[in-house]
């Protein structure tokens, strides 16, 4: 994504994270200096940039983390190159911290931007080259319990600027063909597509076999408690985990969720949020050791 003495306008092939990175870089440089950067800026990822400085592609390709990045000032160009999407966004934030002294302390409010931006006469760049990758591959910040409420955009934006990963709340996936939806506009630039959460957690079994519809036809899928099959409360259903059909149903549900976006995403495998009502059939008891 070449720029014209600033972060410029992203190329058509750029990821949403590259476009956000360009906007954030431009905005904060102007906040700090009142001007654009006095050099050309290139922001992108290995799959969107055809030409990067010698050795960068090879070294980034060997690095372990998808969020590995290279930042450098070479021959009058300022580069932010990510191995995969969002890596270049995090690289811009680390540049703003280390080179401009920007800090993000809290979510912005109408009275307090929650950040510190030093006022600078100029930004002086000497040639440098820096490869980085996160120590912790998972740095999730989940908005649990807010699925029915407005997305806390300011808080999540602050968290991402500080290096956290932030995904949509429970069972909310980013639909990449709905580019005008609020969920896409906010989360797509801040999420690596291969890491978006596709569901699961305490709904792993419930989503595959909801008690309200499955129990009538297949009570054998549900837990045997005190000698009878029990449907259980909504979202608190317990299942017969030794039943091969139960396992197959859950596996098929996960595979269908992954197939929607070509296998890109993660599924949180879990059980219901209850320690009670587990299956007491002989096969499940044997599984318990």
């Amino acid at each position: 994504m070449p720029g014209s003495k600033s972060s410029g306008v992203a190329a058509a092939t750029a990821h949403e994270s590259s476009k956000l990175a360009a906007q954030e870089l431009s905005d904060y440089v102007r906040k700090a200096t009142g001007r654009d950067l006095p050099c050309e800026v290139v922001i992108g990822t290995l799959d969107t940039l055809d030409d990067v400085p010698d050795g960068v592609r090879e070294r980034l390709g060997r690095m372990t983390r998808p969020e590995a990045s290279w930042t450098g000032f070479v021959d009058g160009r300022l580069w932010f190159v990510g191995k995969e999407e969002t890596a270049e966004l995090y690289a811009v934030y680390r540049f703003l911290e280390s080179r401009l002294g920007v800090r993000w302390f809290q979510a912005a409010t109408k009275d307090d931007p929650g950040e510190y931006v030093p006022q600078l006469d100029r930004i002086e760049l000497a040639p440098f080259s820096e490869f980085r990758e996160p120590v912790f591959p998972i740095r999730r910040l989940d908005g649990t319990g807010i699925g029915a409420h407005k997305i806390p955009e300011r808080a999540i934006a602050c968290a991402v600027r500080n290096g956290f990963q932030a995904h949509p709340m429970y069972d909310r996936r980013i639909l990449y063909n709905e580019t005008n939806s609020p969920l896409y506009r906010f989360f797509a630039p801040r999420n690596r597509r291969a890491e978006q959460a596709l569901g699961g957690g305490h709904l792993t079994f419930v989503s595959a076999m909801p008690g309200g519809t499955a129990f009538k036809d297949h009570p054998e899928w549900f837990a045997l408690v005190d000698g009878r099959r029990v449907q259980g409360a909504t979202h608190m259903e317990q299942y017969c985990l030794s039943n091969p059909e139960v396992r197959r149903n859950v596996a098929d549900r996960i595979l269908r969720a992954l197939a929607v976006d070509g296998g890109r995403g993660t599924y949180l495998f879990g059980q219901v949020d209850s320690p009670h009502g587990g299956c007491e059939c002989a096969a499940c008891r044997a599984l318990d050791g």
Side-chain angles (χ1 to χ4, degrees):
M1 189 212 73
S4 55
K5 292 188 178 297
S6 69
S7 52
V9 178
T13 57
H15 292 293
E16 294 297 330
S17 55
S18 297
K19 299 174 186 177
L20 177 60
Q23 188 63 58
E24 291 279 73
L25 179 66
S26 178
D27 287 349
Y28 277 102
V29 167
R30 287 173 181 161
K31 285 182 183 180
T33 68
R35 300 183 297 275
D36 291 330
L37 279 167
C39 63
E40 186 176 1
V41 178
V42 182
I43 302 176
T45 52
L46 292 181
D47 62 334
T48 62
L49 295 174
D50 295 327
D51 184 31
V52 295
D54 291 343
V56 170
R57 186 176 299 276
E58 291 75 18
R59 182 165 173 182
L60 272 184
R62 293 195 305 269
M63 296 177 79
T64 303
R65 312 293 192 208
E67 293 171 326
S69 64
W70 174 73
T71 304
F73 186 57
V74 179
D75 296 331
R77 276 184 168 185
L78 180 59
W79 294 80
F80 299 91
V81 182
K83 183 173 182 178
E84 295 186 17
E85 62 183 321
T86 73
E88 79 286 25
L89 176 62
Y90 289 117
V92 164
Y93 290 138
R94 303 296 74 79
F95 172 85
L96 292 172
E97 280 186 323
S98 63
R99 303 280 170 167
L100 272 67
V102 178
R103 298 290 185 270
W104 298 279
F105 299 113
Q106 65 178 43
T109 68
K110 62 183 180 65
D111 300 316
D112 182 356
E115 62 189 19
Y116 170 70
V117 182
Q119 299 303 292
L120 306 172
D121 292 332
R122 67 178 70 87
I123 298 174
E124 296 183 356
L125 293 176
F128 74 95
S129 175
E130 180 181 66
F131 288 88
R132 297 177 64 108
E133 61 180 337
V135 175
F136 297 102
I138 305 300
R139 310 175 307 282
R140 290 270 303 259
L141 184 72
D142 289 329
T144 56
I146 63 169
H149 303 281
K150 184 178 179 180
I151 299 169
E153 294 186 0
R154 294 177 180 177
I156 294 175
C158 179
V160 173
R161 287 165 177 161
N162 280 296
F164 283 95
Q165 299 158 329
H167 300 273
M169 60 296 296
Y170 288 146
D171 282 346
R172 301 290 300 277
R173 68 186 303 165
I174 303 167
L175 299 177
Y176 284 87
N177 61 336
E178 296 184 4
T179 57
N180 289 323
S181 70
L183 204 67
Y184 177 91
R185 288 199 304 269
F186 182 76
F187 281 106
R190 296 172 172 86
N191 280 262
R192 199 166 68 87
R193 193 166 179 175
E195 286 183 350
Q196 77 154 317
L198 305 179
H202 72 134
L203 300 179
T204 296
F205 287 79
V206 177
S207 297
M209 298 160 288
T213 56
F215 184 79
K216 179 180 178 181
D217 294 329
H218 295 281
E220 73 278 8
W221 290 350
F222 293 79
L224 183 73
V225 180
D226 294 331
R228 64 187 183 90
R229 299 289 174 177
V230 177
Q231 176 180 333
T234 302
H235 291 179
M236 288 296 175
E237 295 93 336
Q238 293 279 21
Y239 295 84
C240 181
L241 303 184
S242 63
N243 187 315
E245 288 187 341
V246 168
R247 299 180 184 184
R248 189 177 304 114
N249 291 340
V250 172
D252 289 346
R253 173 70 179 81
I254 295 172
L255 290 173
R256 288 197 302 273
L258 288 166
V260 171
D261 201 29
R264 288 173 290 192
T266 62
Y267 199 91
L268 176 59
F269 187 86
Q271 290 181 246
V272 296
D273 295 341
S274 174
H276 308 293
C279 188
E280 299 172 356
C281 78
C284 283
R285 284 184 178 274
L287 288 175
D288 196 31

